[in-house]
Amino acid sequence: MDITRRGFLKGAIGLAGAGMTGALTVPALKSLLPPPVTRCNKDEAHSTLTYKKEDGKWYENKANDIAKTEDFENLWDVAIVNWAPAELEEELGSCEIQLALAKVPMESGMEELGISVDGGNAVMMAYHTYKCPHLCCKPVFTDEGKSTISGKNFENMFLCPCHLSMFDPISIIENIDEQGRKVMAAELLEGPAPYGLPVVPIAEKDGGLVGLTTHLDWLKYCGQG
């Protein structure tokens, strides 16, 4: 049988591969692999809700402080807070996101997602204003205005500045997202968003407010997760 150059090289490579396999143990093979890429600093992870630095807001002097229920003296006080639990990186691919923390009138069912205050007449709630379910802009709390879609006046709504989807913070309903998952969200009143603005369940711990990671699947849209 003639030995061609191609056959010789194929045989030589096969023998070399067999030799390498025998010589390298599993731990040694693993040592040749690049280490996993870690984007987030685990030492900076926190489940607490801390105030974002924002000049001109009622909480401007509380930047990076942990939010507390007593900070919110008035109904419809709203603050943007940072949230960075360790689970965010694996579940959503983010190190930190921002939420809107608000003191709103209590409605049925909200106590399961927020913290009852003022003798049960109000509740602290957190809303995922980091990304609108439509095209990922950041909805903002607007105390009053006139809809350019319906022409109606409104009060105390989350409004997306890009395409004007409007969400009602005190009407929390079950939605179905584009992946068929059940999501608890502030009801979509108008605009092109496919469903409402998701909420993030919160709790009180050691006197401060923390976000719960029990429903991170509600936030898996716009490239997150």
Side-chain angles (χ1 to χ4, degrees):
M1 180 178 65
D2 293 332
I3 299 177
T4 64
R5 179 177 177 82
R6 178 178 295 178
F8 175 81
L9 290 174
K10 183 177 180 180
I13 292 172
L15 288 172
M20 285 290 289
T21 302
L24 292 177
T25 62
V26 171
L29 285 171
K30 287 184 177 180
S31 70
L32 296 178
L33 299 175
V37 177
T38 303
R39 295 175 52 248
C40 305
N41 185 341
K42 292 183 178 180
D43 293 336
E44 296 178 355
H46 59 91
S47 60
T48 51
L49 303 178
T50 60
Y51 291 105
K52 181 182 178 183
K53 179 176 174 55
E54 291 202 302
D55 295 334
K57 301 293 186 180
W58 64 266
Y59 51 93
E60 64 178 339
N61 295 324
K62 297 180 181 292
N64 300 316
D65 289 352
I66 298 174
K68 300 178 180 180
T69 56
E70 55 263 34
D71 297 339
F72 293 72
E73 298 179 355
N74 306 305
L75 204 60
W76 295 113
D77 278 349
V78 180
I80 301 301
V81 293
N82 299 311
W83 187 45
E87 294 89 341
L88 278 189
E89 181 177 19
E90 180 179 351
E91 294 292 328
L92 303 183
S94 300
C95 298
E96 179 182 79
I97 62 176
Q98 284 74 49
L99 308 173
L101 183 63
K103 181 178 179 178
V104 301
M106 173 71 82
E107 295 291 339
S108 178
M110 295 175 73
E111 66 276 6
E112 298 177 2
L113 299 167
I115 301 167
S116 177
V117 294
D118 293 355
N121 293 316
V123 60
M124 297 297 304
M125 294 286 292
Y127 305 85
H128 186 241
T129 50
Y130 190 58
K131 291 188 177 184
C132 174
H134 180 220
L135 291 177
C136 314
C137 299
K138 297 182 186 298
V140 295
F141 179 75
T142 307
D143 55 3
E144 62 180 0
K146 185 174 183 178
S147 168
T148 57
I149 295 178
S150 65
K152 297 179 180 179
N153 294 325
F154 66 85
E155 292 183 345
N156 302 319
M157 297 289 172
F158 286 111
L159 188 66
C160 181
C162 296
H163 304 97
L164 306 178
S165 291
M166 185 185 295
F167 309 95
D168 185 351
I170 61 172
S171 179
I172 307 301
I173 62 174
E174 183 179 276
N175 287 211
I176 302 297
D177 71 8
E178 294 175 307
Q179 303 300 318
R181 296 173 294 220
K182 294 180 180 179
V183 177
M184 296 305 294
E187 183 179 5
L188 172 69
L189 298 183
E190 59 183 31
Y195 56 95
L197 187 67
V199 299
V200 172
I202 60 173
E204 205 164 10
K205 182 179 180 181
D206 299 328
L209 301 180
V210 298
L212 304 180
T213 57
T214 49
H215 291 290
L216 289 178
D217 54 312
W218 294 352
L219 314 183
K220 290 185 176 181
Y221 60 90
C222 280
Q224 296 186 135

